[in-house]
Amino acid sequence: MTNRRYTAGASRRRYRKEVNRASWLIGICAVIFIVGLLVPGNCTGAQPVAGTDIGPLSAARLEKVVTNPSLDQKIIEYTGMTVSFNPRLHIPNWVAYELTAAETYGEEPRARNFMADPDVDGCATPADYRNTGFDRGHMAPAADMKWDPEAMRESFYMTNIVPQDNGLNRGSWSKLEEKCRQRARRDSAVIIISGPVLTDDIEMYIGDTGVAVPSRFFKVILSPYTTPPTAIGFIMPNGNVRGGMQTCAVSVDEVEAVTGHDFFSALPDDMENEVESQKNFNRWSRMN
């Protein structure tokens, strides 16, 4: 990527995330220290939040996706997310970002307006969705970008948006997004990658731009700093989800097979094989 705006955005993201992570860890350490003073000798509930199992891997490396080679893409580094944008279909192939525990407590208000990114050829416009019956569905939700004004604003760029049925966008997809925020608080951070399934035939296009309407969506979530690391995937139809999000839980391996993407390749091979085979929704959804 040669655009200086995106290079600067990636640098700001790394800096702000390090500040957020440092603040969060300092707060956790302070709580543990105080509890240790109040309850001498009792430290069974204080589990270290550490990446020893994965070594020095950074969030940026864990977010990296090897995109299905049959898809057109332009990689865009925004303040809070990385987007693989498909200029032919006018929607993202995938959107990846790290969500830390500290970031889930951000207070930045939700942006009001969707916008085309003027620096991206093939970007859809908000008007493309007007009177179509489809929601402007975020892949990186605005609620995950409350930690920074620019991250919030950029989450409303149409490069982060895909046509979603109202029943999905405000139903199981929204509930899954909230569950991811809960996991971020529980696990100190999660890596989230979402997007449309573009190996399916596209049967509908909307707007003057000709925005592709996918029939399914995917999401994969990695908790890299737990011991051991864990992951899960989801594939949801672009409509009402019967039985709720748990019926759509699959392994990351299954999402890779359906989409043609390769996720979390920066992990050691044995660890990648283990976490990508997991799909125990009940265990993943528990908060204890």
Side-chain angles (χ1 to χ4, degrees), residues 152-186:
M152 173 61 73
R153 181 180 65 84
E154 290 174 343
S155 74
F156 279 76
Y157 274 142
M158 300 304 294
T159 46
N160 180 44
I161 305 301
V162 183
Q164 279 190 326
D165 182 274
N166 178 274
L168 175 66
N169 186 36
R170 305 185 190 188
S172 292
W173 191 258
S174 177
K175 292 176 181 177
L176 178 55
E177 292 171 338
E178 177 56 34
K179 182 64 72 173
C180 289
R181 285 187 281 276
Q182 294 173 9
R183 284 251 59 104
R185 296 177 192 124
R186 173 65 178 80

Side-chain angles (χ1 to χ4, degrees), residues 21 50-62 98 188-189 191 222-230 264 266-272 275:
R21 187 184 296 279
T52 54
D53 284 347
I54 62 171
L57 290 179
S58 66
R61 290 181 62 191
L62 292 170
E98 180 192 38
S188 87
I191 306 296
L222 171 69
S223 294
Y225 307 120
T226 58
T227 304
T230 60
F264 312 134
L267 290 171
D269 288 343
D270 57 343
M271 185 175 296
E272 182 182 5
V275 301

Side-chain angles (χ1 to χ4, degrees), residues 96-146:
Y97 61 101
E98 180 192 38
L99 180 65
T100 69
E103 288 167 351
T104 67
Y105 295 104
E107 297 181 351
E108 180 65 24
R110 182 182 174 90
R112 295 184 178 181
N113 298 316
F114 290 90
M115 304 165 288
D117 187 331
D119 294 329
V120 177
D121 292 337
C123 186
T125 70
D128 287 319
Y129 287 68
R130 193 170 297 147
N131 299 321
T132 64
F134 288 100
D135 286 358
R136 301 177 182 99
H138 287 76
M139 294 298 96
D144 290 358
M145 300 295 155
K146 295 186 296 183

